[in-house]
């Protein structure tokens, strides 16, 4: 293992990297991750199995150590969340990386970009994804570029935008762009292609357009999700909706930040379909999954045990977020008592509430409330120890079902936050006094 070639994964805190790294490890590869903020990987279950190196593609001197001894590098970086001017920064970042990889003797770069026809009028986001590939190929290191449309899978920003908007609106509003065509691809297949490119030399220096087995309209993706979820939904398309207004709404109601929503929604202004299907021939081992199957698979993962715990890398004591189909309320507290005593106190407190206890592992308790018509709710407790202090983490999960689920969460949110904060504080107080 120590003598095997090093595989570098950039954008390690991102969605695709979080799915790729476990697959690389499962295949026996030696993995190094590049991250601007390495502590954000601390909560990932695989973080201790890889080498994590701090670095920033916008700061070239930090790339030398990350690329030292690397055989293949995955370039999974985008700058959409940085707002105005991100397209220029993406090109600078790609140029810095290509030069540093060449100097380090890297033999192969694998890049995941966006699927669009560069000969047509396309949104800046899609144009930037394509031009990033062009800049990477200007270096001397061979580049395998994959261009993908909507990625279907729990946690994908495109899929989560579809999920939350469809859950929320009985009549889903949208621009006329929703009549444009898309060829969605399951996240499992994206990872399949990225892995297949490692050992397939036929792909070196090539561009591959990848998509699932069906071409559909953007609006139909929402209707397909609704059908899989058992929701009755219809579309209401308007001839014109300001892009900033749509991005504001998506940023407010979904896990997708407004700057990213702005870029993504702009990308709907053109078709995103495979016109050159050479990937099917070069990588025949990839068995394509349709959107319906990918959606059903994502819905089977609608459980706290299945999602990426991105809040564990946050150093704030309390946090509220939307993530992988959930509303999440997370809180942490530390007390000076043995973990066993803390855990016992939590168990005794649970008896006062209508929760079903499920001890899934030592010092971890999942309290599961019965499913509701408006969604499913969980309350999770974890107990651990740092030095002589015991920490208690309390995480409330709610997976809304339809408009009723959103109303249930937002109307009761102040009361829920107050009650859960009081519960963890009362447990800590009882431990200190007892």
């Amino acid at each position: 293992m120590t003598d095997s070639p090093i595989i570098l994964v950039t954008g390690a805190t991102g969605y695709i990297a979080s799915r790729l790294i476990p697959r690389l490890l499962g295949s026996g590869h030696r993995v190094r991750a590049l991250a601007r903020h390495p502590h954000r990987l601390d909560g990932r279950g695989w973080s201790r199995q890889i080498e994590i190196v701090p670095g920033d593609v916008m700061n070239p001197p930090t790339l030398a150590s990350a690329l030292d001894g690397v055989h293949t590098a995955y370039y999974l970086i985008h700058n959409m969340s940085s707002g105005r001017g991100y397209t220029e920064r993406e090109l600078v970042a790609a140029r810095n990386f290509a030069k540093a990889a060449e100097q380090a003797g890297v033999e192969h770069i694998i890049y995941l970009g966006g699927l669009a026809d560069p000969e047509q009028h396309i949104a800046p986001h899609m144009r930037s994804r394509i031009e990033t590939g062009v800049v990477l190929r200007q270096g001397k290191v061979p580049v395998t570029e994959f261009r993908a449309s909507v990625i279907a899978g729990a946690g994908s920003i495109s899929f989560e935008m579809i999920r939350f908007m469809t859950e929320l609106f009985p009549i889903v509003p949208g621009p006329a762009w929703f009549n444009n065509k898309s060829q969605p691809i399951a996240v499992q297949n994206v990872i399949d292609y990225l892995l297949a490119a490692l050992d397939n030399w036929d792909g070196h220096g090539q561009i591959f357009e990848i998509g699932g087995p069906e071409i559909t309209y953007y609006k139909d993706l929402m209707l397909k999700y609704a059908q899989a979820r058992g929701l009755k939904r219809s579309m209401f398309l308007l001839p014109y909706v300001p892009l900033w207004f749509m991005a504001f709404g998506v940023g407010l109601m979904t896990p997708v930040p407004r700057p990213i929503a702005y870029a993504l929604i702009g990308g709907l202004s053109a078709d995103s379909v495979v016109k050159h299907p050479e990937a099917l021939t070069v990588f025949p081992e990839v068995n394509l999954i349709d959107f319906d199957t990918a959606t059903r698979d994502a819905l089977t993962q609608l459980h706290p045990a299945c999602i990426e715990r991105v809040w564990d890398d946050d150093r704030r004591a309390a946090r509220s977020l939307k993530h992988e189909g959930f509303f999440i309320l997370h809180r942490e507290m530390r007390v000076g008592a043995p973990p066993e005593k803390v855990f016992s106190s939590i168990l005794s407190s649970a008896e006062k509430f209508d929760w079903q206890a499920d001890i899934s592992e030592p010092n971890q308790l999942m309290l599961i409330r019965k499913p509701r018509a408006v969604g499913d709710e969980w309350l999770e407790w974890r107990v651990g120890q740092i030095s002589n202090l015991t920490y208690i983490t309390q995480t409330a999960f709610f997976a809304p079902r339809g408009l009723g689920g959103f109303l249930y969460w937002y109307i009761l949110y102040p009361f829920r936050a107050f009650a859960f904060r009081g519960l963890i504080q009362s447990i800590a107080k009882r431990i200190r006094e007892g």
Side-chain angles (χ1 to χ4, degrees):
M1 180 71 176
T2 56
D3 296 329
S4 60
I6 299 173
I7 308 298
L8 177 70
V9 179
T10 66
T13 58
Y15 172 66
I16 292 298
S18 72
R19 269 59 180 176
L20 174 64
I21 290 174
R23 291 277 299 272
L24 286 168
L25 292 171
S27 299
H29 292 289
R30 183 181 172 192
V31 180
R32 178 184 294 165
L34 175 70
R36 284 182 299 170
H37 307 290
H39 73 271
R40 293 181 56 193
L41 296 174
D42 291 345
R44 312 301 172 94
W46 38 260
S47 62
R48 295 185 179 182
Q49 302 176 55
I50 66 173
E51 179 187 359
I52 301 175
V53 178
D56 186 350
V57 289
M58 296 300 291
N59 185 8
T62 67
L63 298 177
S65 59
L67 288 164
D68 182 40
V70 167
H71 178 276
T72 299
Y74 284 97
Y75 194 80
L76 306 175
I77 293 172
H78 68 73
N79 286 281
M80 289 186 292
S81 60
S82 62
R84 188 184 300 274
Y86 75 88
T87 55
E88 291 80 6
R89 285 190 289 274
E90 289 199 330
L91 300 186
V92 172
R95 192 171 295 112
N96 291 342
F97 189 82
K99 183 177 180 179
E102 181 181 325
Q103 293 173 343
V106 173
E107 297 186 28
H108 188 197
I109 295 173
I110 302 174
Y111 167 59
L112 178 63
L115 177 60
D117 184 353
E119 302 301 321
Q120 303 296 320
H121 176 73
I122 56 177
H125 155 58
M126 300 304 293
R127 179 72 62 186
S128 177
R129 296 281 77 206
I130 290 171
E131 290 179 351
T132 294
V134 172
V135 170
L136 288 173
R137 289 192 299 276
Q138 288 174 350
K140 294 182 180 180
V141 180
V143 177
T144 301
E145 178 179 348
F146 292 104
R147 296 178 178 176
S149 183
V150 171
I151 297 177
S156 159
I157 52 178
S158 299
F159 185 81
E160 294 304 324
M161 187 166 66
I162 290 170
R163 186 208 301 260
F164 273 78
M165 296 298 287
T166 308
E167 293 277 359
L168 174 59
F169 293 108
I171 301 176
V172 184
W177 298 346
F178 279 10
N179 277 320
N180 289 334
K181 295 178 181 178
S182 172
Q183 193 164 349
I185 181 170
V187 64
Q188 299 96 314
N189 287 153
V190 174
I191 303 305
D192 290 339
Y193 277 118
L194 292 175
L195 287 173
L198 270 178
D199 302 316
N200 191 329
W201 286 87
D202 291 339
H204 281 44
Q206 303 298 314
I207 299 172
F208 296 100
E209 299 178 352
I210 56 175
E214 58 185 344
I215 296 175
T216 185
Y217 297 102
Y218 286 112
K219 65 179 182 181
D220 288 338
L221 297 180
M222 294 187 173
L223 297 177
K224 285 173 176 288
Y225 174 86
Q227 184 177 20
R229 186 69 163 142
L231 299 170
K232 292 183 179 180
R233 293 291 183 266
S234 59
M235 302 295 300
F236 180 63
L237 301 186
L238 300 168
Y240 175 74
V241 184
L243 184 55
W244 67 266
F245 182 77
M246 289 188 289
F248 175 79
V250 169
L252 185 67
M253 304 308 299
T254 81
V256 183
R258 183 182 56 81
I260 295 180
Y262 189 95
L264 287 179
I265 297 171
L268 305 181
S269 60
D271 291 341
S272 181
V273 298
V274 173
K275 293 187 175 181
H276 305 283
E278 288 83 2
L280 298 176
T281 303
V282 178
F283 306 103
E285 65 270 34
V286 177
N287 297 312
L288 296 179
I289 301 169
D290 60 37
F291 183 81
D292 290 339
T293 302
T295 299
R296 289 194 297 270
D297 182 69
L299 292 175
T300 63
Q301 299 176 41
L302 201 58
H303 188 282
C306 300
I307 67 177
E308 197 80 21
R309 303 179 65 88
V310 295
W311 58 90
D312 281 350
D313 58 41
D314 196 304
R315 294 175 178 176
R316 288 175 287 179
R319 187 178 179 190
S320 177
L321 67 154
K322 307 179 194 77
H323 180 61
E324 294 191 28
F326 286 98
F327 291 109
I328 297 171
L329 189 59
H330 179 74
R331 192 174 304 277
E332 182 173 327
M333 183 172 290
R334 299 186 182 184
V335 295
E340 297 77 12
K341 182 178 180 180
V342 175
F343 195 67
S344 177
S345 181
I346 294 173
L347 277 174
S348 63
S349 296
E351 297 174 357
K352 302 177 183 179
F353 296 87
D354 183 25
W355 294 86
Q356 176 186 353
D358 175 22
I359 303 176
S360 53
E361 60 183 72
N363 292 344
Q364 179 181 335
L365 175 69
M366 179 81 73
L367 298 171
I368 307 173
R369 187 171 298 227
K370 294 180 181 179
R372 301 177 180 275
V374 294
D376 298 326
E377 190 170 12
W378 292 262
L379 180 61
E380 176 197 83
W381 297 88
R382 292 190 178 199
V383 177
Q385 194 166 24
I386 299 178
S387 300
N388 60 339
L389 288 177
T390 296
Y391 64 86
I392 311 169
T393 63
Q394 175 203 71
T395 311
F397 302 86
F398 180 66
R401 183 179 179 83
L403 175 61
F406 279 73
L407 294 175
Y408 171 80
W409 176 261
Y410 282 113
I411 291 174
L412 295 181
Y413 177 83
F415 306 99
R416 178 184 285 105
F418 178 79
F420 286 166
R421 182 174 65 248
L423 182 57
I424 193 172
Q425 288 176 343
S426 67
I427 290 172
K429 181 180 179 181
R430 186 163 57 250
I431 292 170
R432 294 188 187 105
E433 294 176 346

